[in-house]
Amino acid sequence: MLAYKEKSSVSFSCVLDYYFCKLLFGAAMKFMHIRQEEFELGIRDPAIRRGLELVLRSLLRYGVTVPQKLAAPFLIVWNFTNACNLKCVHCYQSAGPTPGPDELTSEERVEVIRQIDEMGIPVVALSGGEPTIHPDFLRVVEEGARRGIYMAVATNGIRFADDEFARRAIEAGLRYVEVSLDSTEPGEHDGFRGVRGAWELAVKGIRNIVKYGEGRVSIGIAATVTKLNKDRIEDMVRLGEELGVNRVVFFNFIPTGRGKEAVELDLSPEEREDVLRRIYRESARSSIQVVSTAPQLARVSWQMSRGEDVLPTHFTIPNSSTLRAVAEFIGGCGAGRIYMAIQPDGTVTPCVFMPIPVGNLRRDRLQDIWENSKTINDLKNKDLLKGPCGSCEYRYVCGGCRARAYAYFGDYLAADPGCLRGSIIMKGGAEAMVKTH
C-alpha cells in the first residue's frame, strides 16, 4: 500500500520531466554515437556525469552549433603557483624559485574550487610553475575530488619520485598525472629543463605513479616539440610504452614567457607538418594514446586517412567513431571555447599560453567571465578568424593555434604561422619576434 501511495503521489509534471530527460539523453547519445553500455559504465563516474550534464545544458541553451557553444568550459587549467624547482628554457610562465608576490590564499583557492563546482565544470588541471611544491596542492586536490571534479596535474614529476608523496597525492584523489619529459636522452632533457638529474627523477616519478596508481590514475608523458627533439617522436612513444603510461602528448612550442627568448627553437611549417604526420602514424600503431596540442593534427589525420579518421586536439582517442562524428563541434584550439586558464593571483586568461587578462576571481565570477568577456566570445566564433585560417576548409576541426597567433602577431584572431597553408607569413612573424626580443 505504501509503495502504491508513493507511486501515485508522483505529479504529472514529474512524469513529463522524466520522459523529456530520457528523450534528451537518447538524442544526445545518438548524436555523439555513444553506445548504451558505454553510457551506463561512464555514468557511474561523477566527472563523466558532469560532462554529460554540461553537454545537455549546452544543447538546451544554444542548440546544435558549429563549433558547439558551451554553457561552461570542460576544463580549467590552473597555474597554481609561479614557484618552480626547475629552470626550463621554454617556460610560458617565466616561473622562478619562489611564489609570486600576490598569489591566492588558501581560502581563496578553496573558493575557486567552489566556483568551478558551481559551474559544473568537469575537469581541473593544476599546472604552474610546479604545483606539487605548493603547500596547498594536496588540500585543493582533495577538495576538488570531494566535489566530484576530475583532478589532474601537469608536473615535472620530481616530487612524485618520492614514494610517500606519490601515494599521498593519489589518495588525495588525483585522476590524471602528466609528466613533462622532453627527450629519451637524459642530457637533452636536463639541458632543456635547466637542472641536472631532472630526467632520472621524472622517470622515477612516472614509475611511482604507475606502481601506486593501480589503475586508479591515468598517466601521460608531455614533450614540447622543438628543433632540439623533433627527431625523437617515435622514440618518445616507445619510451611511454615501456614505462606503462596511458598517453604521450606532444605540445606545440609557443614563444611566450621565457620562451620568447628561444623563438629560434620553433619548428618551421614544413618541420611541423612532418612531425604531425609521424605523430599520426604513431597514434595508429601504438596501443597508447598519442596526441598533439597542435590543432593542425586534425587536418593531417583527416588527410592521411582520406576522411576515415580525425584526431581533435586534446580529446583524442584513436579510432573513435564518436570523435570523428563530433570533430567539427569540439575540435581545434580550445582556448576560450573548451577551456580557460587561471593564474596564481586569480587572473583569468583564455589559455595558459595566451597572457590576455579577461577577469580576476578576486572581483569577478568565473561564470560572468565565461559568458561576458569579449575576448572569450571572439574565440568561440571561428567565423571571426582572419587570413588563411579563416578561409580554410578545415577551420572547424583545426582553426590554428590562437596562442601562437597572439605570440607572433599580437592578434588572437590572426593566422597561425606554424601551418603550411599560412607558411608565407611564418618568416615575417619570426623576424618580428626576433626584432622585438
Side-chain angles (χ1 to χ4, degrees):
M1 188 67 178
L2 178 62
Y4 172 78
K5 285 184 177 179
E6 288 180 345
K7 183 177 180 180
S8 65
S9 66
V10 176
S11 70
F12 182 67
S13 175
C14 288
V15 173
L16 284 179
D17 287 346
Y18 166 77
Y19 282 106
F20 175 74
C21 289
K22 184 177 180 180
L23 179 64
L24 190 59
F25 269 103
M29 289 167 62
K30 185 176 181 180
F31 171 71
M32 294 184 287
H33 298 268
I34 298 174
R35 297 193 303 270
Q36 181 73 26
E37 54 269 31
E38 289 179 334
F39 176 80
E40 291 176 356
L41 182 64
I43 201 69
R44 300 172 190 171
D45 187 325
I48 292 179
R49 290 200 297 271
R50 280 175 171 267
L52 287 170
E53 189 261 344
L54 174 54
V55 169
L56 291 172
R57 278 195 290 132
S58 301
L59 290 172
L60 283 171
R61 183 168 184 177
Y62 299 111
V64 177
T65 64
V66 180
Q68 183 60 49
K69 291 183 179 178
L70 297 173
F74 270 106
L75 167 68
I76 292 292
V77 182
W78 184 355
N79 285 339
F80 206 62
T81 180
N82 213 54
C84 189
N85 47 6
L86 294 183
K87 307 169 185 175
C88 304
V89 171
H90 67 310
C91 181
Y92 61 79
Q93 195 69 9
S94 297
T98 58
D102 197 26
E103 295 190 359
L104 297 173
T105 66
S106 294
E107 294 310 313
E108 285 174 327
R109 293 173 195 272
V110 172
E111 169 60 18
V112 169
I113 287 291
R114 189 199 66 76
Q115 286 198 44
I116 290 170
D117 181 22
E118 183 180 63
M119 285 182 72
I121 296 170
V123 184
V124 172
L126 303 179
S127 188
E130 175 51 45
T132 63
I133 67 175
H134 195 280
D136 289 337
F137 172 71
L138 292 179
R139 179 187 181 189
V140 168
V141 170
E142 288 175 344
E143 181 65 20
R146 181 184 70 79
R147 293 172 177 267
I149 299 170
Y150 187 100
M151 297 301 293
V153 63
T155 173
N156 58 38
I158 291 176
R159 291 231 47 205
F160 288 96
D162 179 272
D163 292 55
E164 181 183 355
F165 179 83
R167 285 194 295 262
R168 287 176 60 202
I170 291 167
E171 290 302 320
L174 271 180
R175 300 283 302 276
Y176 177 63
V177 180
E178 192 168 274
V179 178
S180 296
L181 203 66
D182 289 304
S183 178
T184 55
E185 296 296 320
E188 285 184 356
H189 175 84
D190 293 355
F192 201 54
R193 298 281 165 174
V195 173
R196 183 176 296 180
W199 191 92
E200 296 289 349
L201 289 171
V203 169
K204 186 175 188 297
I206 292 168
R207 295 188 189 280
N208 276 347
I209 298 159
V210 172
K211 179 169 63 174
Y212 298 123
E214 299 176 347
R216 293 176 294 167
V217 180
S218 296
I219 180 167
I221 289 175
T224 299
V225 184
T226 66
K227 291 183 184 296
L228 301 177
N229 62 358
K230 64 181 176 62
D231 296 322
R232 299 199 181 276
I233 300 300
E234 295 80 6
D235 292 342
M236 289 297 299
V237 175
R238 283 163 178 76
L239 176 61
E241 292 168 343
E242 291 169 11
L243 291 173
V245 305
N246 306 94
R247 194 171 189 243
V248 177
V249 188
F250 293 99
F251 272 78
N252 249 343
F253 172 77
I254 299 172
T256 189
R258 258 200 313 272
K260 291 178 182 178
E261 308 303 323
V263 66
E264 70 280 359
L265 296 179
D266 197 4
L267 302 180
S268 69
E270 293 77 14
E271 289 170 332
R272 181 170 283 98
E273 190 79 2
D274 175 65
V275 162
L276 292 176
R277 293 177 70 85
R278 287 157 54 203
I279 287 172
Y280 177 66
R281 291 191 191 101
E282 287 299 296
S283 77
R285 176 201 65 80
S286 182
S287 59
I288 62 178
Q289 293 183 18
V290 181
V291 300
S292 173
T293 63
Q296 289 85 5
L297 181 60
R299 171 186 55 78
V300 168
S301 60
W302 195 310
Q303 291 173 330
M304 290 182 68
S305 68
R306 298 185 179 182
E308 292 296 318
D309 197 12
V310 60
L311 304 188
T313 308
H314 303 301
F315 291 90
T316 302
I317 303 173
N319 303 318
S320 167
S321 60
T322 299
L323 287 177
R324 284 199 299 273
V326 300
E328 290 195 348
F329 297 90
I330 65 170
C333 177
R337 295 180 43 247
I338 306 296
Y339 63 86
M340 288 195 300
I342 300 173
Q343 299 301 317
D345 66 352
T347 296
V348 178
T349 63
C351 169
V352 293
F353 298 105
M354 196 185 297
I356 305 173
V358 294
N360 189 288
L361 296 182
R362 282 179 164 144
R363 64 173 185 270
D364 306 310
R365 290 176 65 249
L366 192 61
Q367 182 78 54
D368 292 338
I369 296 170
W370 177 254
E371 293 179 354
N372 300 323
S373 164
K374 180 183 182 305
T375 299
I376 296 297
N377 283 315
D378 283 351
L379 290 166
K380 292 174 184 176
N381 185 358
K382 288 196 176 186
D383 291 332
L384 296 178
L385 297 179
K386 302 174 183 177
C389 288
S391 58
C392 179
E393 68 220 72
Y394 295 101
R395 69 183 180 277
Y396 293 130
V397 296
C398 172
C401 173
R402 300 298 92 218
R404 286 178 53 80
Y406 184 75
Y408 275 97
F409 304 112
D411 181 356
Y412 53 79
L413 297 175
D416 178 351
C419 179
L420 275 177
R421 296 193 167 205
S423 61
I424 55 172
I425 62 174
M426 178 66 183
K427 183 178 179 182
E431 289 176 351
M433 286 288 294
V434 172
K435 288 177 181 177
T436 305
H437 302 97

